[in-house]
């Protein structure tokens, strides 16, 4: 069971997860004012119909956190065939940095559940927990598995993160996931369990937008996908 008070306490904090994906604090490509304040939750899931693009964002986050000597566990179903794209202006995947990221290959929902259920038995815990392509753990992406099962697994992952945060003596923690938007109800389910939802969309011109709500503000971050991902524009408005 999730300790509700602990979950709400973590949710209120802003660890600026997006700062570990994009150089929002000083990108030479950013057209909006550099002094724009950006807030993003430390508990978030990226919802997208482009798995390769969302994987690139998760991978960049893993590299950025690892470059600060934080312990990163990256959960995915199988080894990466090639390195995903990285973000211009952010830490790059040097061999020394990548070697510190623990890639954990869990191919089924049962294996993911077992990891979460046994985390209290582990002697080494991560600071950063990343789960790629959550939809693959829902019967290979078919929504017929149901909202209740997805909610249970999302809650279990969050409970695992809450335990890790409590046990680890670190000032920086994050839980970051990705899920395909083909599961229409995943955004509403994630929000109910206190995940911040970052909506990722892409148009035919290889321009992408990452949008999210934080407190009373709506953020929209635009970037282009070439050899790397280039940050172009950031807008913030009151809601």
């Amino acid at each position: 069971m999730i300790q509700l008070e602990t979950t709400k306490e973590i949710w209120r904090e802003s660890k600026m997860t997006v700062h570990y994906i994009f150089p929002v604090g000083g990108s030479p490509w950013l057209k909006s004012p550099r002094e724009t304040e950006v807030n993003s939750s430390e508990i978030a899931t990226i919802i997208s119909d482009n798995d390769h693009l969302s994987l690139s964002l998760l991978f960049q986050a893993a590299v950025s956190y690892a470059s600060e000597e934080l312990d990163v566990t990256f959960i995915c179903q199988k080894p990466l065939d090639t390195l995903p794209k990285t973000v211009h202006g952010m830490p790059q995947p040097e061999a020394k940095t990548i070697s510190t990221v623990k890639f954990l290959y869990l191919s089924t929902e049962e294996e993911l559940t077992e990891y979460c259920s046994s985390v209290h038995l582990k002697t080494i815990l991560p600071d950063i927990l990343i789960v790629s392509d959550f939809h693959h753990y829902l019967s290979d992406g078919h929504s017929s598995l149901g909202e209740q099962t997805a909610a249970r697994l999302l809650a279990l992952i969050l409970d695992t993160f809450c335990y890790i945060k409590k046990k680890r003596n670190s000032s920086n923690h994050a839980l970051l996931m990705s899920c395909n938007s083909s599961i229409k109800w995943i955004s509403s389910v994630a929000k109910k369990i206190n995940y911040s939802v970052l909506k990722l969309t892409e148009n035919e011109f290889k321009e992408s937008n990452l949008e999210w709500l934080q407190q009373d503000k709506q953020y929209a971050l635009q970037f282009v996908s070439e050899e790397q991902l280039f940050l172009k524009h950031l807008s913030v408005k009151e809601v």
Side-chain angles (χ1 to χ4, degrees):
M1 289 293 293
I2 294 179
Q3 298 298 321
L4 188 57
E5 293 183 1
T6 302
T7 303
K8 287 184 177 179
E9 180 182 5
I10 293 175
W11 174 250
R12 285 195 295 266
E13 298 180 9
S14 294
K15 289 296 186 180
M16 315 303 177
T17 301
V18 172
H19 285 74
Y20 288 88
I21 302 176
F22 288 101
V24 290
S27 170
W29 304 92
L30 190 60
K31 296 180 180 179
S32 55
R34 294 187 182 185
E35 62 269 15
T36 301
E37 181 181 352
V38 178
N39 291 326
S40 59
S41 175
E42 65 173 356
I43 304 170
T45 180
I46 298 172
I47 308 295
S48 169
D49 59 1
N50 187 326
D51 295 347
H52 296 291
L53 194 55
S54 58
L55 175 62
S56 292
L57 300 188
L58 293 186
F59 182 74
Q60 180 61 69
V63 172
S64 298
Y65 280 116
S67 69
E68 294 189 358
E69 298 184 351
L70 292 166
D71 292 324
V72 180
T73 290
F74 194 111
I75 297 176
C76 49
Q77 282 201 313
K78 59 182 180 179
L80 304 179
D81 296 328
T82 58
L83 288 182
K85 291 183 179 180
T86 55
V87 178
H88 182 271
M90 295 300 289
Q92 296 302 294
E94 299 176 357
K96 182 179 179 180
T97 303
I98 288 296
S99 66
T100 66
V101 177
K102 181 181 180 181
F103 287 91
L104 189 59
Y105 306 116
L106 306 177
S107 59
T108 65
E109 176 201 351
E110 290 76 16
E111 291 180 354
L112 179 57
T113 299
E114 182 181 357
Y115 169 79
C116 293
S117 301
S118 62
V119 72
H120 64 285
L121 300 176
K122 301 184 183 300
T123 56
I124 300 178
L125 298 172
D127 300 300
I128 312 301
L129 184 61
I130 297 176
V131 182
S132 177
D133 295 332
F134 177 72
H135 51 281
H136 286 317
Y137 296 103
L138 302 178
S139 187
D140 292 329
H142 297 301
S143 58
S144 59
L145 196 59
E147 297 180 39
Q148 186 174 1
T149 301
R152 176 193 61 79
L153 189 54
L154 283 171
L156 181 60
I157 295 171
L158 179 55
D159 199 28
T160 301
F161 174 71
C162 291
Y163 176 84
I164 290 172
K165 181 178 172 106
K166 182 178 179 180
K167 291 294 184 180
R168 287 284 292 175
N169 183 22
S170 173
S171 60
N172 202 347
H173 295 275
L175 168 59
L176 187 59
M177 301 175 55
S178 67
C179 186
N180 194 278
S181 58
S182 60
I183 303 179
K184 302 302 181 183
W185 38 258
I186 193 65
S187 291
S188 61
V189 171
K191 289 177 182 177
K192 288 178 182 178
I193 307 175
N194 285 342
Y195 285 79
S196 174
V197 171
L198 284 66
K199 183 180 179 182
L200 177 61
T201 57
E202 183 182 36
N203 63 27
E204 58 184 320
F205 304 107
K206 293 186 178 181
E207 291 184 342
S208 302
N209 286 286
L210 188 66
E211 300 179 2
W212 72 97
L213 294 174
Q214 185 69 22
Q215 297 174 341
D216 58 349
K217 294 182 180 179
Q218 179 177 358
Y219 297 86
L221 188 152
Q222 185 183 68
F223 61 98
V224 294
S225 178
E226 298 177 356
E227 293 297 324
Q228 287 185 303
L229 306 181
F230 289 86
L231 178 60
K232 286 186 62 177
H233 183 73
L234 171 67
S235 63
V236 185
K237 66 179 181 178
E238 301 287 338
V239 293

